[in-house]
Amino acid sequence: RALGYAARIVAFRFSGVGAGSRCDVLDRYFYDNFVQYKLTSWRERFYARLLRRLIPTPDLAVVLLASPETLAARRANYAREYLVIASGRYGKLAGVFPNLVSVYTDPGRSPNEDLERLVHRCISDARSGERKGFST
C-alpha cells in the first residue's frame, strides 16, 4: 500500500498539473493523509519524511480549519473525541508544510474574503515572476 501511494505522488508530480500558465484547483491534495495516522515507528516517520519531499509544492496551498465546536455542529455524526484530535492535527499541518496557509471557517470569520485575498496575491506574484510561499 505504501509503495502504491508513493507511486501515486510521483505520477502526480510528472502529470503536468500546475505546469505553465494553467490554473489547477485540487481538493484534498495530499495533506489529509498526514493527519489520519500516528507516525510512531521509525519506518513510519521515515516514510512520512520521504512523502513530504516527493509531494509537489503548489503555488498556493490552503487548509480550511475550524474549532472542534464548529466541527461538531457541522458533523453531528462524528465522535467529539475524534473531532478534537483531527482539529489539532490539521492545525499542526502548517508546521509540517511551511507553504500551507491556514484559513479559519468558524462562525464570525470571513473565509471567502481570506481565500479571495490569497488567490489575488498568488496571481499577482505569478504575474510579477515571484514564486514564494505564503505565511499564515
Side-chain angles (χ1 to χ4, degrees):
R1 186 184 288 176
L3 289 175
Y5 189 73
R8 181 177 147 225
I9 289 176
V10 171
F12 181 81
R13 180 180 281 277
F14 293 110
S15 71
V17 171
S21 60
R22 295 172 26 178
C23 178
D24 300 304
V25 177
L26 307 171
D27 182 25
R28 295 203 168 258
Y29 203 52
F30 294 104
Y31 306 123
D32 279 349
N33 293 289
F34 288 89
V35 300
Q36 300 300 326
Y37 305 102
K38 289 182 183 179
L39 304 174
T40 53
S41 75
W42 71 268
R43 285 186 183 113
E44 293 167 331
R45 288 190 300 274
F46 173 78
Y47 183 65
R49 282 193 305 274
L50 176 67
L51 290 180
R52 281 196 310 258
R53 295 185 79 119
L54 288 173
I55 293 173
T57 303
D59 293 324
L60 176 59
V62 177
V63 61
L64 300 177
L65 301 176
S67 68
E69 294 76 26
T70 300
L71 294 173
R74 292 177 183 166
R75 303 280 190 255
N77 57 332
Y78 282 70
R80 173 99 171 112
E81 297 78 20
Y82 171 77
L83 295 175
V84 169
I85 291 168
S87 177
R89 288 180 181 173
Y90 274 100
K92 293 178 183 178
L93 277 178
V96 177
F97 299 96
N99 292 333
L100 187 61
V101 181
S102 301
V103 172
Y104 293 88
T105 64
D106 291 308
R109 307 292 292 244
S110 55
N112 290 344
E113 292 174 14
D114 292 341
L115 290 169
E116 189 173 324
R117 178 182 48 81
L118 289 166
V119 169
H120 284 293
R121 187 167 135 204
C122 183
I123 292 169
S124 175
D125 288 350
R127 286 182 179 160
S128 69
E130 294 181 46
R131 285 183 62 125
K132 55 186 170 190
F134 294 84
S135 59
T136 54

